[in-house]
Amino acid sequence: MDKALAQKVIDRLNSAKSPALFTHLRPDGDAFGCLLGLAHALQERGQSPTLHAEGGMIPMYKFLPGSELVQDIPDQLSSQSDLFVVLDTSTRERVGKKTIDWKPSVDIVIDHHISNPGFGILNLIVPEIPATAGILYRLFEMAGWKISPATATCLYAGLSTDTGSFRYRGTDAQTLRIAASLVEFGADPSEIAKHCYLSVTPQRYHLKKLTIETLSLKDDKKSGFLTIYPDFYSKSGAKSEDTEGIIEEVTSIQGLEVASLFEFSPDGGLRVSLRSKGRVDVNSIASSFGGGGHRAAAGIRFPKDGEKNRDLVLTAISQAIARLEN
Ligand code: AMP
Ligand code: MN
Ligand code: MN
């Protein structure tokens, strides 16, 4: 982590009174963990942050301390806000369409996506830490800010969920050291795991079952894809956030290199999730279609032509796998 840059971020955060904190569309555990972890740290310092995520808080992460503070994305940046901070978000578009033309522009971006172009005034982008929550931990440590059990719980949840419970490739000694420190500051690993991994609703489970039944293996069983059709939601009663984690079921297949999940929206759009076991760089595939992410986990959104774009992405995956063999 660039110490001089991190210090500038700390100084800028210190100078605010009412910072507005934002994260990415379809927020995940790292997104909520970062919003709330940073909010607790700022509140300890007498600030009054506002927290925003698309759709507000989702039931799965309601156990996080302070979860009631999370609000939906407003129509305008509040005139009270004296700092515009974006966490865990790889592009300006992923903060949300209606925020694009907001003035003033983003002051601080804190993120770990390698594809992040740096769309803020200060951009603390640290791809070697596998969750933005881990970057926040290092920042608080450097600043000498108090890490309360509430802060530690939120950051640990972000770090745990973004590393697939400390299983993905980016999990290194530093990740585990950060996790250990967060436990010392009051995070409870088994309690957090209970909420993040062992609290699947029957609706979510039903959606998972319907989706897994669509599995198709190709490229000599080196790639596999799942499809979510719009009626799966009415059939299962699940919500859009309930798709999180389904793709990992495919990644677990022995010998597989790339897993993909295609979610068709009722208006013909398509959301794509890509996962690699490490040999194929799915970030470069996603980037070639205007998406992004990391080497082993990336995504794309197509506003239209879902079927056609699915075929194009599947072809790109086949080509990447063929290149491995040459
Ligand atoms: P997901 O498959 O939605 O869990 O996303 C996997 C990773 O790719 C996450 O780190 C996302 O932040 C990133 N990502 C997903 N969709 C997009 C997109 N449309 N543009 C850029 N990055 C994305
Ligand atoms: Mn995230
Ligand atoms: Mn993240």
Side-chain angles (χ1 to χ4, degrees):
M1 190 157 98
D2 179 335
K3 290 261 163 66
L5 177 61
Q7 190 57 53
K8 280 189 194 158
V9 171
I10 292 165
D11 293 344
R12 194 73 186 84
L13 286 169
N14 263 328
S15 71
K17 283 201 175 66
S18 306
L21 314 182
F22 288 79
T23 187
H24 58 81
L25 300 176
R26 292 181 66 102
D28 54 16
D30 196 22
F32 287 119
C34 287
L35 276 185
L36 287 161
L38 180 55
H40 289 302
L42 295 173
Q43 281 176 337
E44 297 271 355
R45 307 182 56 70
Q47 299 188 18
S48 309
T50 53
L51 287 62
H52 300 283
E54 182 190 34
M57 188 36 110
I58 60 178
M60 189 176 151
Y61 294 111
K62 278 204 172 128
F63 77 96
L64 292 174
S67 64
E68 67 285 354
L69 298 172
V70 180
Q71 303 164 13
D72 202 348
I73 300 172
D75 290 327
Q76 267 307 323
L77 191 61
S78 158
S79 56
Q80 314 263 297
S81 304
D82 52 2
L83 194 68
F84 186 177
V85 183
V86 174
L87 303 162
D88 193 43
T89 306
S90 55
T91 64
R92 184 68 185 82
E93 288 68 35
R94 282 184 49 84
V95 188
K97 258 210 190 89
K98 68 178 169 190
T99 77
I100 296 283
D101 301 323
W102 284 1
K103 299 272 180 290
S105 50
V106 178
D107 293 296
I108 300 177
V109 170
I110 305 177
D111 188 31
H112 63 121
H113 294 95
I114 195 153
S115 59
N116 195 313
F119 55 88
I121 296 167
L122 284 173
N123 300 286
L124 185 63
I125 296 156
V126 191
E128 63 272 19
I129 299 184
T132 306
I135 305 174
L136 287 181
Y137 172 76
R138 287 285 183 234
L139 200 66
F140 298 169
E141 184 183 49
M142 216 184 121
W145 291 359
K146 182 175 174 223
I147 298 176
S148 67
T151 311
T153 299
C154 297
L155 296 185
Y156 184 98
L159 191 61
S160 173
T161 51
D162 251 27
T163 55
S165 202
F166 306 104
R167 285 179 301 147
Y168 299 156
R169 196 167 248 258
T171 308
D172 58 7
Q174 159 160 246
T175 314
L176 296 172
R177 264 185 220 113
I178 295 173
S181 302
L182 291 170
V183 173
E184 280 169 349
F185 282 115
D188 179 340
S190 100
E191 189 60 24
I192 294 168
K194 190 177 88 188
H195 289 286
C196 294
Y197 312 116
L198 304 171
S199 300
V200 178
T201 59
Q203 292 85 343
R204 189 181 178 117
Y205 207 85
H206 190 179
L207 176 70
K208 187 168 169 173
K209 176 173 169 276
L210 292 171
T211 308
I212 285 175
E213 277 169 3
T214 70
L215 175 67
S216 171
L217 292 175
K218 58 196 292 272
D219 304 312
D220 199 18
K221 299 198 177 76
K222 290 195 174 63
S223 84
F225 69 92
L226 298 174
T227 312
I228 297 180
Y229 296 100
D231 68 341
F232 283 13
Y233 288 101
S234 51
K235 279 186 183 151
S236 63
K239 300 205 180 68
S240 67
E241 69 256 23
D242 291 322
T243 60
E244 207 181 315
I246 297 181
I247 191 172
E248 269 72 35
E249 295 292 329
V250 182
T251 325
S252 72
I253 298 171
Q254 189 184 44
L256 196 114
E257 295 289 350
V258 177
S260 45
L261 182 140
F262 298 93
E263 180 176 348
F264 289 98
S265 51
D267 61 4
L270 179 70
R271 192 177 72 89
V272 185
S273 282
L274 301 172
R275 298 289 184 274
S276 160
K277 274 201 182 140
R279 291 175 72 209
V280 172
D281 179 358
V282 289
N283 176 48
S284 78
I285 296 176
S287 300
S288 71
F289 292 100
H294 317 274
R295 186 182 165 86
I300 318 162
R301 262 189 198 212
F302 295 103
K304 58 184 173 77
D305 299 328
E307 303 256 349
K308 195 179 98 199
N309 284 309
R310 176 178 68 176
D311 294 345
L312 290 174
V313 173
L314 286 172
T315 303
I317 293 169
S318 300
Q319 286 167 347
I321 289 175
R323 276 196 297 274
L324 289 180
E325 281 144 26
N326 295 329

